[in-house]
């Protein structure tokens, strides 16, 4: 009789890294569809290019490094989708490939592959692209207007326009007339990155992820709450802050990346609040469009310290027990 | 305490309580038994029989000389075939007595209804009966009943949580012998002077709660005693039956790190241990039989059986209906904390409450993949530890890191490994880490001793010329 010997426990939960990644991919589907509707097929094409390049880079790099192949864990696909979500729909295809190269090769695999990258690959690649190609990365195209349910913006069919946050920043209160309505912002009828524009589509994905217990809400809620509070106190319209820019995408899909966010609950709360503060400060006083990206990147870097700092007290460390 | 109050963390493995409704079957048809002379912590017992001796059920075969140990008794009547060293389930060589059964199960005349008239008497009776904690940890009961001065328990916590998947032997015990369980509880309360007892049952076993409550009421009416015994329904979550978690869930007291239940004035006993006391006070037969759950995909007929201690596992499996496929893994104990055997030719010991026989599909071990820092292990750890950090330090062989992450507080419940989506062997790694820390502490202590000796010698030299 050939008996298998192993350390207990002898049973395991069904959830695997792969099943979690599959759930994240499913959660991005509404936003992918929304990008196709709002920006046309070019947006979907960019997503496909991004995913394809990420997987190809991962596959060949692992082969060159003579490591196990890891494309089946689906993490490269997730990175590909999230990278594309953070790019403008007008971006030249080769830049997407460069972004994928930085995300997978430089940020992820050069640091040891899945689980060892200290910053979010997709976000870092986006920042690298924003610095390398500042014009291409801010060439926003406004949705075609075909699905403009609420109000038809002046010049809605123009190729390029300013994002709601840019309008808000450059024109202040006087520019309010140029701003899209709340419902347009919610549905996605605004200028912005491929995946960030439709808050509705992202929300569907978030509901799915929460229902499947893929993410906890500590980071996104503290993050968004802090941004709303601080910008609100500074006299900005919090609803605009929530519905425009990459806040929703960033808070729910980027800041919750397992590898680069804390493992403890209190660590996650500090992480979320800090991201919110940095984002709010950049939005209020900075002159770059990357408030969300920079805040998450900075907090990624101090995540290991947050984990150590917020290590929970073991059960029974409190010497005094309560009355029975 | 608020309703549903429980510890933080824990997991919800599939219960697999397939054998809930199967009454225990007494199996007697064993040609021989192999009884180990060391079945729990402490040194082994001294063998008092020799080859060729005739023994009866309940006759002493292993004398307990050390204060920690309890005696061992023959579980069948028949002839001693051999006294020799065998390899135990854990791989250690242990002396064992092999007895050829005559099938008659003649009870030894020395077994008589015990006379108990004092606390010392009661504890002595429990020890002479060979009783150890039957929940699985096999801590000698007579030690537990005799806590140091100032730590006298004010509450008896009865562990009937049975949170391990598959195992239903305690549940069957409650269904089949509630009277003897309450008798045992009353005896411990009386002789150890504990005013209050709480029985903790997970809320997936409402029938058990019901049966116990009815039995308590019945005995109250019959004997008019006023003993304060309550049954509390606990949230069904693993590891609800872990000592520290159970104490917290039932009393709100936290056992300090590195301390024992008596440090918070609690005595924890398993429901099967108490039933044994109740039964023993009636017939005086020592601990010679064990009720265990047989389950797993490779078995034809899962169920609960009552077998003599020392019965060989293959014989038990065969007597209980045999296997339908080649077993790929055999576990002594539960699926979460049990011990995987590397050979099947082992005798049942006092610690056994289940034998799980897994087929190839159930036994499959998923390959390990990199940690993705999802934090699930941190969330489920009932001891509030950070398994992912311990794992890293253990793999890097860093004792300082392990101490930083409080590795020694781990109760090895397996929640982290169970939940890990990356399928990391966290519990295994933590066990390695504990071994490393123990070695490092021993090394540091030895070094300290050496330094002190050195200092003394130097001091001596300096003194000499004077």
């Amino acid at each position: 009789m050939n008996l298998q010997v192993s350390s207990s426990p002898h049973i395991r939960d069904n959830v695997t890294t792969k099943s979690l990644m599959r759930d994240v991919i499913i959660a991005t589907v509404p936003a992918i569809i929304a990008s196709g509707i709002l920006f046309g097929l070019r947006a979907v094409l960019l997503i496909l290019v991004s995913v394809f390049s990420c997987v190809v880079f991962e596959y060949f790099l692992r082969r060159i490094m003579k490591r196990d192949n890891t494309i089946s864990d689906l993490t490269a696909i997730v990175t590909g989708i999230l990278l594309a979500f953070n790019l403008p729909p007008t971006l030249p295809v080769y830049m997407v490939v460069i972004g994928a190269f930085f995300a997978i090769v430089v940020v992820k695999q050069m640091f040891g592959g899945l689980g060892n990258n200290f910053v979010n690959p997709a976000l870092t690649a986006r920042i690298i692209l924003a610095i390398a190609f500042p014009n291409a990365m801010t060439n926003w195209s406004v949705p075609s207007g075909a699905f403009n349910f609420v109000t038809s913006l002046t010049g809605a069919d123009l190729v390029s326009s300013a994002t709601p946050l840019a309008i808000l920043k450059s024109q202040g209160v006087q520019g309010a007339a140029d701003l899209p309505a709340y419902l347009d912002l919610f549905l996605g009828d605004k200028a912005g990155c491929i995946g960030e524009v439709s808050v509705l589509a992202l929300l569907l994905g978030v509901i799915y992820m929460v229902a499947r217990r893929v993410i906890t809400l500590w980071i996104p809620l503290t993050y968004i709450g802090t941004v709303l509070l601080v910008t609100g106190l500074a006299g900005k319209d919090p609803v605009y802050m929530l519905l425009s820019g990459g806040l929703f995408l960033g808070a729910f899909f980027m800041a919750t990346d397992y590898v680069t966010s804390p493992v403890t609950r209190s660590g996650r709360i500090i992480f979320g609040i800090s991201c919110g503060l940095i984002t709010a400060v950049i939005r209020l006083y900075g002159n770059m469009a990357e408030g969300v990206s920079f805040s998450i990147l900075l907090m990624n870097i101090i995540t290991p310290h947050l984990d150590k700092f917020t290590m929970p007290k073991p059960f029974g460390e409190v010497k005094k027990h309560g009355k029975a | 305490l608020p309703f549903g109050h429980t510890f933080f963390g824990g997991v919800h493995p599939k219960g697999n309580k397939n054998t809930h409704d199967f009454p225990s079957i007494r199996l007697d048809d064993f040609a021989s038994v192999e009884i180990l002379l060391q079945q729990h912590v402490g040194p082994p017992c001294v063998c008092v029989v020799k080859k060729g001796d005739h023994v009866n059920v309940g006759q002493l075969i292993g004398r307990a000389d050390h204060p920690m140990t309890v005696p061992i008794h023959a579980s069948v009547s028949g002839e001693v075939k051999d006294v020799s060293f065998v390899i135990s389930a854990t791989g250690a060589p242990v002396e064992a007595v092999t007895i050829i059964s005559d099938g008659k199960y003649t009870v030894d005349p020395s077994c008589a209804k015990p006379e108990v008239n004092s606390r010392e008497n009661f504890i002595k009776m429990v020890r002479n009966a060979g009783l150890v904690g039957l929940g699985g940890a096999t801590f000698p009961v007579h030690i537990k009943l005799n806590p140091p001065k100032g730590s006298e328990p004010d509450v008896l916590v009865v562990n009937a949580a049975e949170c391990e998947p598959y195992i239903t032997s305690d549940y069957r015990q409650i269904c089949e012998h509630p009277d003897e369980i309450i008798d045992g509880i009353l005896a411990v309360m009386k002789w150890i002077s504990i005013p209050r007892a709480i029985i903790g049952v997970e809320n997936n076993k409402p029938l058990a709660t019901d049966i116990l409550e009815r039995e308590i009421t019945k005995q109250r009416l019959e004997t008019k005693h006023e003993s304060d015994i309550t049954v509390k329904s606990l949230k069904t979550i693993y590891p609800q039956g872990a000592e520290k978690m159970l104490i917290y869930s039932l009393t709100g007291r936290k056992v300090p790190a590195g301390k024992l239940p008596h440090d918070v004035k609690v005595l924890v006993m398993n429901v099967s241990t108490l039933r044994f006391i109740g039964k023993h006070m009636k017939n005086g037969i020592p601990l010679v039989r064990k009720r265990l759950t047989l389950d797993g995909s490779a078995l034809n007929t899962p169920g609960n059986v009552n077998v003599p201690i020392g019965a060989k596992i293959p014989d038990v499996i065969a007597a209980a209906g045999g296997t339908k496929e080649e077993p790929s893994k055999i576990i002594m104990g539960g699926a979460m904390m049990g011990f995987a055997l590397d050979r099947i030719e082992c005798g049942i010991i006092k610690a056994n409450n289940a034998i799980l026989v897994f087929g190839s599909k159930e036994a499959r071990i998923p390959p390990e993949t990199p940690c993705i820092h999802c934090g699930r292990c941190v969330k489920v750890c009932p001891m509030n530890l950070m398994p992912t950090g311990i794992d890293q330090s253990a793999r890097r062989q860093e004792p300082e890191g392990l101490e930083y992450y409080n590795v020694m507080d781990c109760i090895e419940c397996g929640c982290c490994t169970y939940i890990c989506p990356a399928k990391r062997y966290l519990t295994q790694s933590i066990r390695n880490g504990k071994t490393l820390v123990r070695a490092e502490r021993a090394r540091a202590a030895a070094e300290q001793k050496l330094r002190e000796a050195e200092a003394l010698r130097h001091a001596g030299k300096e003194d000499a010329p004077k």
Side-chain angles (χ1 to χ4, degrees):
Chain A
M1 197 176 293
N2 203 356
L3 289 179
Q4 169 128 221
V5 180
S6 68
S7 195
S8 67
H10 306 286
I11 48 172
R12 304 294 188 89
D13 192 30
N14 291 329
V15 174
T16 62
T17 303
K18 190 177 176 174
S19 77
L20 290 170
M21 292 305 140
R22 193 188 299 128
D23 279 343
V24 175
I25 292 170
I26 292 170
T28 60
V29 168
I32 294 174
I33 294 170
S35 73
I37 294 171
L38 295 164
F39 295 117
L41 275 176
R42 188 160 201 286
V44 180
L45 176 79
L46 288 192
I47 296 172
L48 287 176
V49 168
S50 176
V51 168
F52 181 75
S53 346
C54 283
V55 173
V56 167
F57 281 132
E58 172 132 330
Y59 177 79
F60 282 105
L61 199 73
R62 297 294 289 194
R63 281 200 68 163
I64 292 166
M65 297 192 304
K66 296 193 173 58
R67 300 280 176 107
D68 295 342
N69 222 309
T70 50
I71 52 167
S72 64
D73 65 21
L74 307 182
T75 51
I77 296 177
V78 172
T79 302
I81 293 172
L82 292 180
L83 170 63
F85 272 16
N86 282 287
L87 302 175
T90 53
L91 199 71
V93 171
Y94 77 92
M95 291 186 190
V96 178
V97 178
I98 292 173
F101 175 83
F102 274 102
I104 294 296
V105 177
V106 179
V107 180
K108 187 178 172 193
Q109 294 299 343
M110 287 294 135
F111 285 89
L114 175 65
N116 294 310
N117 50 291
F118 70 105
V119 286
N120 187 317
L123 261 189
T124 314
R126 182 233 163 120
I127 289 171
I128 290 167
L129 290 178
I131 293 166
F133 311 109
N135 292 329
M137 281 295 284
T138 48
N139 179 11
W140 310 108
S141 96
V142 168
S144 62
F147 289 83
N148 192 341
F149 296 105
V150 181
T151 168
S152 189
L153 277 168
T154 339
D157 46 0
L158 288 182
V159 183
S160 76
S161 170
T163 65
L165 283 179
I167 298 172
L168 201 62
K169 187 174 274 299
S170 62
Q171 304 179 11
V173 189
Q174 293 83 13
D178 293 338
L179 288 168
Y182 287 160
L183 193 57
D184 281 344
L185 287 175
F186 182 68
L187 295 174
D189 197 355
K190 62 185 179 230
C193 290
I194 291 173
E196 75 184 19
V197 286
S198 177
V199 175
L200 170 68
L202 291 171
L203 194 62
L204 291 176
V206 168
I207 292 169
Y208 177 78
M209 286 200 291
V210 172
R212 298 276 295 164
R213 292 166 187 260
V214 175
I215 58 166
T216 55
L217 290 174
W218 298 107
I219 292 176
L221 293 188
T222 51
Y223 186 172
I224 291 174
T226 309
V227 171
L228 298 192
L229 187 73
V230 176
T231 54
L233 287 176
K236 303 283 178 185
D237 182 350
V239 183
Y240 259 103
M241 284 296 167
L242 171 64
L243 297 179
S244 48
L247 180 58
F248 212 83
L249 174 68
F252 285 100
F253 286 85
M254 316 299 289
T256 55
D257 170 39
Y258 291 141
V259 178
T260 53
S261 66
V263 294
T264 62
R265 185 192 294 176
S266 40
R268 286 174 180 172
I269 292 170
I270 298 174
F271 184 94
I273 292 173
S274 310
C275 279
L277 286 174
I278 299 170
T279 302
V281 167
I282 294 179
R283 281 194 175 181
L284 291 172
Y285 306 109
N287 53 10
M288 279 190 89
E290 272 73 30
V292 169
S293 306
F294 277 127
S295 68
I296 298 174
L297 182 77
L298 285 170
M299 292 312 294
N300 283 168
I301 294 168
I302 67 161
T303 287
H305 301 285
L306 276 183
D307 273 340
K308 260 200 159 165
F309 177 64
T310 61
M311 191 177 75
K313 198 182 281 174
F315 180 92
E317 278 297 287
V318 190
K319 289 286 186 283
K320 196 99 188 83
H321 62 77
K323 278 178 223 109
Chain B
L1 293 170
F3 178 76
H5 172 90
T6 196
F7 62 95
F8 292 103
V11 293
H12 295 278
K14 197 162 161 270
N16 282 322
K17 303 271 190 187
N18 314 313
T19 52
H20 247 178
D21 302 326
F22 299 175
S24 337
I25 302 163
R26 185 184 159 107
L27 299 179
D28 277 335
D29 199 13
F30 297 100
S32 70
V33 293
E34 180 187 284
I35 305 171
L36 299 185
L37 288 174
Q38 184 182 26
Q39 303 216 2
H40 59 87
V41 287
C45 289
V46 180
C47 184
V48 296
V49 290
K50 58 181 189 304
K51 197 175 164 178
D53 283 1
H54 182 86
V55 291
N56 291 323
V57 172
Q59 187 178 330
L60 184 79
I61 57 172
R63 198 181 65 225
D65 286 350
H66 190 273
M68 262 302 267
T69 48
V70 297
I72 286 169
H73 306 84
S75 59
V76 294
S77 56
E79 190 186 311
V80 175
K81 186 192 160 201
D82 202 7
V83 180
S84 60
F85 275 88
V86 298
I87 303 296
S88 78
T90 53
V94 176
E95 204 175 12
V97 177
T98 307
I99 306 168
I100 305 284
S101 170
D102 60 12
K104 291 181 194 145
Y105 288 87
T106 320
V107 176
D108 199 66
S110 67
C111 301
K113 187 174 165 18
E115 293 289 324
V116 177
N117 46 33
S118 72
R119 176 196 165 95
E120 287 65 40
N121 226 255
F122 179 73
I123 294 174
K124 205 174 146 201
M125 173 204 84
V126 164
R127 185 178 179 207
N128 287 341
L131 186 57
V132 288
L134 299 180
T138 59
F139 192 78
V141 174
H142 68 278
I143 304 282
K144 248 192 211 182
L145 294 180
N146 209 359
K149 277 260 172 299
S151 299
E152 287 81 5
D154 57 18
V155 57
L156 169 65
V157 163
V158 182
N159 192 349
E162 200 159 56
C163 59
E164 269 269 10
Y166 293 97
I167 306 184
T168 59
S169 54
D170 284 349
Y171 177 77
R172 291 312 313 174
Q173 197 86 260
I174 295 168
C175 293
E176 292 162 27
H177 308 284
D179 47 338
E180 289 169 353
I181 292 172
I182 305 300
D183 288 348
I185 294 172
L186 288 172
V188 171
M189 288 170 81
K190 180 179 174 189
W191 296 114
I192 309 300
S193 319
I194 305 174
R196 190 158 69 103
I198 314 173
I199 311 176
V201 186
E202 276 193 346
N203 60 12
N204 61 350
K205 297 178 267 284
L207 186 62
T209 314
D210 227 46
I211 289 174
L212 288 169
E213 269 171 352
R214 238 179 297 154
E215 186 63 33
I216 294 167
T217 318
K218 194 180 121 209
Q219 291 207 8
R220 259 189 206 139
L221 291 174
E222 279 170 4
T223 61
K224 305 222 179 334
H225 71 76
E226 293 290 320
S227 297
D228 183 5
I229 308 177
T230 46
V231 185
K232 262 199 192 173
S233 194
L234 298 163
K235 187 181 169 195
T236 302
I237 186 165
Y238 178 87
Q240 187 65 269
E243 202 166 65
K244 292 184 176 188
M245 277 68 244
L246 186 72
I247 292 173
Y248 183 65
S249 296
L250 288 178
T251 69
R253 303 180 194 177
K254 283 185 175 178
V255 179
K259 299 280 179 149
L260 292 168
H262 67 64
D263 291 301
V264 290
K265 293 182 168 294
V266 175
L267 172 64
V268 185
M269 291 179 82
N270 182 271
V271 70
S272 291
T273 314
L274 287 157
R275 186 253 161 167
F276 175 81
I277 293 177
K279 188 179 157 215
H280 181 76
M281 293 189 69
K282 282 200 292 203
N283 65 12
I285 298 177
L287 182 63
V288 292
R289 296 189 74 90
K290 194 69 214 263
R291 180 184 308 253
L292 41 106
T293 301
L294 289 177
D295 205 345
S297 58
L299 287 182
N300 281 322
T301 49
N304 282 287
V305 294
N306 177 329
V307 296
I309 285 165
K312 292 281 191 71
I313 290 172
D315 300 346
V316 173
I317 292 173
T323 52
K324 60 183 172 196
E325 68 168 296
E326 174 96 339
S328 294
K329 191 184 231 178
I330 297 183
I331 302 161
M332 233 182 197
M336 291 298 287
M337 286 188 81
F339 186 85
L341 301 176
D342 65 341
R343 88 197 78 82
I344 192 167
E345 286 293 325
C346 302
I348 299 296
I349 55 173
K350 291 176 181 179
N352 280 168
N353 45 15
I355 299 287
L356 302 181
V357 187
F358 281 2
S360 58
K361 204 176 155 216
E362 240 175 335
R364 191 179 300 139
I365 302 173
E368 219 176 18
T369 62
C371 171
I372 55 169
H373 299 243
C374 66
R376 280 173 171 72
C377 55
V378 181
K379 199 173 158 199
V380 302
C381 179
M383 291 301 292
N384 279 348
L385 304 176
M386 212 187 253
T388 165
I390 304 179
D391 180 41
Q392 283 181 14
S393 300
R395 284 172 209 249
R396 292 188 198 134
Q397 303 268 302
E398 290 170 351
E400 307 81 28
L402 289 163
E403 296 264 22
Y404 177 84
Y405 287 115
N406 302 301
V407 65
M408 301 314 271
D409 285 345
C410 171
I411 58 169
E412 301 178 21
C413 64
C415 285
C416 51
T417 315
Y418 172 82
I419 208 75
C420 180
K423 310 297 157 197
R424 313 264 313 152
Y425 307 157
L426 296 167
T427 314
Q428 179 176 347
S429 179
I430 292 170
R431 288 189 176 116
N432 292 342
K434 281 183 167 180
T435 312
L436 187 69
V437 167
R438 278 192 208 104
E440 179 62 25
R441 284 183 183 175
R443 198 190 58 78
E447 250 176 25
Q448 178 65 25
K449 239 181 178 170
L450 201 71
R451 263 198 304 275
E452 277 165 16
E454 198 85 338
L456 265 177
R457 221 182 54 197
H458 275 290
K461 266 184 195 160
E462 277 161 25
D463 287 347
K466 284 181 192 170

